[in-house]
Amino acid sequence: AAKASGKNCFVLYEPEMTASAEYRFKVEQCLREAVELQQLNLVYQPKVDLTTGAVAGFEALCRWSHSQLGPISPIEFIPIAEQIGVIKPLTAWVLTCACRQAAHWNQISDADISLAVNISPSHFLDSDLVGLVSGVLQETGLPPYLLELEVTEALVQTDQLNLVTFGSLKAMGVKVAIDDFGTGYSSFASLSHLHVDSLKIDKYFVDDMLNDTKVKKLVGSMIEMGHSLDCKVIAEGIELRDQLEILQTFGCDGAQGYLFSRPVEEDQVPDLLQKATLFT
Ligand code: C2E
Ligand code: MG
Ligand code: MG
Ligand code: MG
């Protein structure tokens, strides 16, 4: 509560600052508890093969809804999880759950169904990740080549990139994708010597491509560049047919977006797997 004497103007702002600090503290506490008690959820968004429209795999996306705080976006809670030091148990839970699901999908599907899991750059620099990933693959029986770890360009940018971690994951047969490609600062030099398996073109470019011919040409060049590096190129956030057609013309390999499917609960995955194509 504010002091009765208003001599210090500081006091005027205090209740509000306290409220936001209290809210933040509450979120941190609840997130810690949610991770510990495994109260987070996962949804899965298909990755579509752009030549056929078939489902090539799914990306696991984390969801958190708290009884009092309501739903909170991963854009908000993942950075908090990093700051309060629970990103490792969170990632371990996501990997275990998602790989278990993916192993099951591969039992019910004739085609190979890949699974993508987002990994925070800070965690990717940690050598613990190798043991975690190999343990989860062993436990769930998902073949390593069907697991793809998505990391943003912040990874490529960093000087402390743990090449041993990266090399061990690649040696295990796990795939690595650069997420939100084009929005960060990855250098061509690091991209060419890292041997990443795919580049995911950020939604920002996919959106702007329709109104800006420069951006459209840029997307074409990004796809070509990806192919020069022997990477698959995946476009993120496709919502419109026009975007699909342009990307197909450019030879983009895959895509994700509401045009094909929103992220779905695990019980809706088998239905998607039965469809020959998600093109409509
Ligand atoms: P991301 O990995 O780049 O995931 C793509 C985001 O775009 C997802 O948001 C997805 O729901 C959304 N999206 C897909 N298609 C469309 C579309 O057509 N239109 C629009 N408007 N959005 C689309 P989401 O699920 O809110 O996740 C946001 C970010 O949070 C992710 O970006 C990822 O960086 C992070 N994240 C989510 N789950 C995890 C996790 O388990 N671990 C870590 N480290 N990060 C996660
Ligand atoms: Mg991603
Ligand atoms: Mg992305
Ligand atoms: Mg993103």
Side-chain angles (χ1 to χ4, degrees), residues 230-259:
D230 279 331
C231 292
K232 289 230 186 268
V233 183
I234 312 296
E236 293 192 281
I238 300 197
E239 295 177 350
L240 305 166
R241 277 209 75 85
D242 288 351
Q243 294 167 329
L244 168 62
E245 277 156 26
I246 295 169
L247 290 162
Q248 283 176 315
T249 316
F250 284 151
C252 190
D253 304 282
Q256 285 175 287
Y258 296 172
L259 179 66

Side-chain angles (χ1 to χ4, degrees), residues 59 118 150 152 179-181 200-203 236 256:
E59 175 177 3
N118 293 285
E150 296 191 0
T152 61
D179 206 343
D180 304 343
F181 181 70
K200 297 188 73 179
I201 298 182
D202 195 77
K203 181 179 185 340
E236 293 192 281
Q256 285 175 287

Side-chain angles (χ1 to χ4, degrees), residues 41-43 45 59-63 73-79 82 87 90-91 93-95 117-121 123 150 152 179-180 200 202-203 207 235-240 243 256-263:
N41 289 307
L42 286 179
V43 287
Q45 187 179 36
E59 175 177 3
L61 293 160
C62 206
R63 293 291 177 265
S73 160
I75 295 171
E76 205 181 319
F77 74 76
I78 293 290
E82 290 180 43
I87 194 67
L90 185 151
T91 308
W93 176 81
V94 172
L95 265 172
V117 174
N118 293 285
I119 305 288
S120 296
H123 197 185
E150 296 191 0
T152 61
D179 206 343
D180 304 343
K200 297 188 73 179
D202 195 77
K203 181 179 185 340
D207 283 340
E236 293 192 281
I238 300 197
E239 295 177 350
L240 305 166
Q243 294 167 329
Q256 285 175 287
Y258 296 172
L259 179 66
F260 312 114
S261 170
R262 287 184 175 252

